[in-house]
Amino acid sequence: MPRKKPFSGKQKKQQLHDKRIKKGKKYSTPGSSDHPPQVQTWQPSSSDKPTEPHSSHSLPEAKEHTKGVYDPSRFHLNFLKESREELERRKKDAQSLPVIFVDERELEADIKDVYRPGSATVLDVPKRPTWKYTMSKQQVERKEEAYFKSYLMNIYEEFGEQNLSYFEHNLETWRQAWRVWEMSDVIVMVTDVRHPILHFSPALYEYVTKELNKPLILVLNKIDLVPANVIAAWTSYFKELFPELHVVWFTSFPQDVRSVDLANKKSKRTRKKRVYNTQIGPKELLQICKNIVGDKVDLSSWATKIESDLQQLGFHGNEDSTNHHAAAGDSNRVLPQKVSSNEKVDKTTQDEILTIGFVGHPNVGKSSLMNGLIGRKVVSTSVTPGHTKYFQTYFLTKTVKLCDSPGLVFPSLIHKQLQILSGIYPIAQVQEPYTPVGYLASRIPLVDILQLKRVENPRYRDQWTPWEISEAWAEKRNYRTAKAARPDVYRAANSILRMAVDGRLCLYMRPPGFTHNKDYWEQHENTVGLLALQ
C-alpha cells in the first residue's frame, strides 16, 4: 500500500468532519461548530476587572437536545478563555520575579474566605426547579434552562466585583447531580483532605440538611497524604461549624499485584491486576448509616462483606478492634451489578434498599472510593478532572446501592493557581503553567525535593524564578523541544503540576489557628487514634 501523506491539523479536522457527515452524526445546523463552546467569562487575576460578566455572550446558551442527534458538547465541561496579553504578562513575571517562600501561616485558610464573602451572603449552588409528573420532558427541560440562565446572571451580578473563580457552567452536569440528590437516601460529599474547604460547599450543606431533610456525610479522602494532626484539626473544624455533619476518614488507592516465586526468590511477572485496597473508612461509614436508617434497612450483608474482605486479605479481629477494610478482587467475589434503565426491580424489596449518593468536585476520588468499597474496578477513573460524565448506579450488596455523580465545581472565591494545584482545573487546559509552579515553590521546598541544579547565568544568586525551576527540571528529565532541542520548559512545568495533583509533591492547607496550636493537635485523641490506624 502507498505510504500515507502527512497532513496538517486543519486537514485532520476536515477529515473528521467528513467522517461524521458520512455516519449521519452531525448537528442539524450546517454551520455549527464541531468543538464544544468555550465560556467567555471573566477569569480572576490580580489586575483584571470583570467586563460585563453577565452579558449574553458570556453565558452558555441552552440547547435542545434532539433524540438521536450526536452532540459532543452535551456533557463537556466548560472552561474559561484568557487573553493573550494576560498570558504573556504572567509569563514575563515568571521569568523575572523570584520565588519568595511564605510563612506557614499563609497556608491556613478559612471556609468563610472561600464561600462567604460577607456575613449575610453565601455563594449558592443551583437547585432543581419544582416539577411534577404531569409535566412533559420538554417542559421540565425548558424550566430548568430558564432557571439556570437566571442563576448565572444573578450570581455574576452579585459577586461580579469579587474574584469569582471557575465553576461549572454546563447545565447537563448539574442535571446529573440533581438526579443523584433526589434519588439518594444518604448523600456523601467527598473532599480531598489536602484542600477540604475548597471542595466543601456550605450552600449544599444547607440545601441537603434543611430543604431536602437528608443526612450529609463528609468524607476526608486521601488521608495517607497529610499528617495525622492536620486531619484531626480539620475534623474538629468541620464538626464545630456544621453540627449536623458526619465526618469520615477514608483512603483508597490501587496497587499492582504480582506473584512471587518463593522457591527461586524471583519476582514472577504476571498480567497486572488492579486491586483497590480501602483500609480506613468503610466500617465507620457503615456505622453512621446504621445510626441513620435504624431498623428500616437491613445492613447486615454490608457488615458481612466487610468481614469477608478482611479475612481474604489476612486481617483478623473483632468489630471494635480495628477500623481497617481491604477489598480483594478475586474470582470468588460476587461482582456488583450495574443498574440499567430497563431492569426490573423487585417491588417487595425496593423500599428496603439504602441508596448512597456521592457528590463532590472533580478529581477528589469519588469513583476510586466506590471502587474501594466494592473491591474492584467497576467505575472508570482518570486523573483528568471531569472523567465521569453521568451518574452511575451499582449495588454494593442486595440492600445497599451506590450512586456516583460527575464532578461539580461549586462557585467560590479562590484564585486559579490554587484551583489547578487542587485538581479542580484540568492541567491540559492550562496555557501558562509557570505561575502555579511559582505558587507551589513558595509554599513547599520544591528545589530541595526535586534536587534541582542551578541553570547557567541565573538571574538571582540565592533565589529561583518559576521559569528557572521549570528549566532545571527539564534538564534533569531531559525534556527537549522537537525542533531546536532546547529544554522544554512548558512540558517540565506541566510535569511538576501533575506531580502536585497526584500527591507526589504534597501541598496541603491547614485550618485557622493550626500553626499556633500545633502542640495541642499533636497530642489530640484523634491524632493518636489515626496514627494507630495508619
Side-chain angles (χ1 to χ4, degrees), residues 219-225 249-253 277-282 325 368-369 372 534:
V219 170
L220 298 178
N221 199 20
K222 306 179 184 180
I223 62 172
D224 52 307
L225 301 178
W249 305 329
F250 227 97
T251 177
S252 56
F253 53 92
N277 292 339
T278 305
Q279 299 179 347
I280 301 176
H325 170 63
S368 298
L369 190 147
Q534 292 178 340

Side-chain angles (χ1 to χ4, degrees), residues 224-241:
D224 52 307
L225 301 178
V226 176
N229 57 345
V230 178
I231 301 173
W234 278 122
T235 303
S236 300
Y237 176 81
F238 280 105
K239 286 185 176 180
E240 182 180 353
L241 288 182

Side-chain angles (χ1 to χ4, degrees), residues 73-138:
S73 65
R74 181 176 183 183
F75 295 105
H76 194 278
L77 301 181
N78 295 322
F79 300 104
L80 307 181
K81 187 176 181 179
E82 298 175 295
S83 63
R84 184 178 297 273
E85 293 77 10
E86 173 64 16
L87 295 176
E88 289 296 328
R89 184 190 65 81
R90 294 210 306 261
K91 183 177 178 180
K92 291 180 179 179
D93 291 343
Q95 294 174 340
S96 58
L97 299 180
V99 174
I100 301 177
F101 205 79
V102 300
D103 188 75
E104 187 178 358
R105 292 182 176 85
E106 294 292 330
L107 297 176
E108 298 179 1
D110 194 347
I111 200 168
K112 296 180 181 179
D113 301 331
V114 179
Y115 292 100
R116 299 173 185 263
S119 58
T121 56
V122 179
L123 275 167
D124 202 358
V125 295
K127 305 162 188 175
R128 189 181 187 185
T130 57
W131 60 279
K132 300 179 181 179
Y133 285 101
T134 56
M135 300 171 63
S136 64
K137 178 183 177 182
Q138 290 75 16

Side-chain angles (χ1 to χ4, degrees), residues 302-315 326 333:
W302 189 1
T304 304
K305 177 184 181 302
I306 294 177
E307 291 300 322
S308 175
D309 293 338
L310 291 175
Q311 292 179 3
Q312 289 177 3
L313 288 183
F315 291 99
R333 178 183 301 280

Side-chain angles (χ1 to χ4, degrees), residues 53-66:
H54 55 278
S55 58
S56 59
H57 71 276
S58 66
L59 300 179
E61 293 294 335
K63 298 182 181 179
E64 281 196 30
H65 305 290
T66 308

